[in-house]
Amino acid sequence: MDEPFFLMEIFSPITNLFSLALTSLYSLTEKFGVGSYGLAIIILTVIIKLILYPLTAKQLKSMKAMQTLAPKLKKLQEKYKDDPAALQKQMMMLYQKEGVNPLAGCLPMLIQMPILMAMYYTFFKFDYGGVEPSFLWIPSLSQTDPMYILPIIAALTTLLMQKISTVEVTQQTKAMMVIFPLFMGFISLNLPAGLVLYWTTQNVVQIIQQIIVYRSMDANSKEAA
């Protein structure tokens, strides 16, 4: 069995749920006289992101806490570079002192990955029911964007999302902040526009959520000070 179809079977319970949700949301947009699968995709993406917000907030807080500790961790690495055991001990003491769990950001990400994969396979096999799923300048959401506007927006929103989430910019993070958005824009050129619309909408909602979480953390830090 080909790998994509094998994975589609694994994720079929979630993809069936997403397909039903998209069809239902399309019917909802029809009731308002617009009948747009593009709007249905945007609404579904916002709903998913709102449901996952507690996990997203936990992940973002953990990421920012780890980035804030980066200078202190670097000093420890330089000081104990010849003593791995002492370095590990000092790092654990620093985490305990600052109340940071280095693994706290991993679990929410692992939970969200199956949802992202399921959404990919939802668009891979989604049946628009004979409706031509056009949206704005895009003739069909089942095909690639012929004007390449959506892939460009996907790349730009990915870049902005990374800029907001990065506290300390190193040579490595600077390179990733360029490479990853370009990579996302490149692969989006050959993906169904519906999937790219989902990714772009997710980026926009994620950016808003990041701003909310980080402002809340900054406000709490000022109150604590």
Side-chain angles (χ1 to χ4, degrees):
M1 184 180 294
D2 292 339
E3 183 179 355
F5 295 98
F6 172 70
L7 291 175
M8 282 174 64
E9 288 299 319
I10 293 177
F11 288 105
S12 61
I14 309 178
T15 59
N16 291 338
L17 178 62
F18 286 163
S19 296
L20 177 62
L22 277 175
T23 304
S24 300
L25 289 170
Y26 174 75
S27 298
L28 180 63
T29 63
E30 276 191 314
K31 291 180 180 180
F32 286 92
V34 288
S36 171
Y37 269 109
L39 285 178
I41 291 170
I42 291 172
I43 295 170
L44 178 60
T45 308
V46 172
I47 291 172
I48 292 172
K49 290 298 292 180
L50 289 176
I51 293 173
L52 294 176
Y53 178 71
L55 291 174
T56 300
K58 185 174 182 179
Q59 179 184 339
L60 291 172
K61 289 176 181 178
S62 177
M63 285 172 55
K64 187 166 185 180
M66 287 298 297
Q67 290 175 345
T68 302
L69 286 182
K72 293 181 181 180
L73 289 171
K74 188 175 181 180
K75 288 182 180 179
L76 288 177
Q77 290 169 350
E78 292 174 353
K79 184 176 181 180
Y80 297 99
K81 61 182 179 180
D82 297 324
D83 192 343
L87 173 61
Q88 188 69 23
K89 182 179 179 180
Q90 291 298 320
M91 288 173 63
M92 293 305 299
M93 290 174 61
L94 178 62
Y95 292 143
Q96 291 177 357
K97 179 183 176 182
E98 299 292 338
V100 174
N101 183 351
L103 300 178
C106 298
L107 182 59
M109 188 180 298
L110 291 175
I111 293 174
Q112 294 181 63
M113 280 304 295
I115 296 175
L116 180 61
M117 290 293 295
M119 186 59 76
Y120 171 82
Y121 287 113
T122 297
F123 286 105
F124 191 85
K125 67 170 186 176
F126 186 70
D127 181 9
Y128 288 96
V131 176
E132 186 61 39
S134 60
F135 183 64
L136 298 178
W137 68 88
I138 304 169
S140 175
L141 291 170
S142 64
Q143 305 297 323
T144 58
D145 181 353
M147 298 180 67
Y148 308 124
I149 295 175
L150 203 52
I152 293 172
I153 297 174
L156 291 176
T157 53
T158 302
L159 176 63
L160 180 58
M161 185 173 64
Q162 290 187 153
K163 280 184 173 293
I164 294 174
S165 63
T166 303
V167 176
E168 183 186 14
V169 180
T170 63
Q171 286 298 116
Q172 184 177 4
T173 57
K174 189 182 293 185
M176 284 303 299
M177 285 171 64
V178 174
I179 294 172
F180 187 62
L182 288 176
F183 173 73
M184 289 308 304
F186 176 74
I187 64 172
S188 295
L189 295 173
N190 298 307
L191 292 175
L195 179 58
V196 184
L197 178 62
Y198 162 75
W199 177 262
T200 303
T201 306
Q202 179 182 252
N203 284 350
V204 172
V205 178
Q206 177 84 2
I207 289 168
I208 295 171
Q209 291 180 340
Q210 285 179 185
I211 292 172
I212 292 172
V213 170
Y214 289 163
R215 284 185 177 177
S216 174
M217 291 179 68
D218 291 339
N220 292 337
S221 298
K222 288 179 181 179
E223 289 178 2

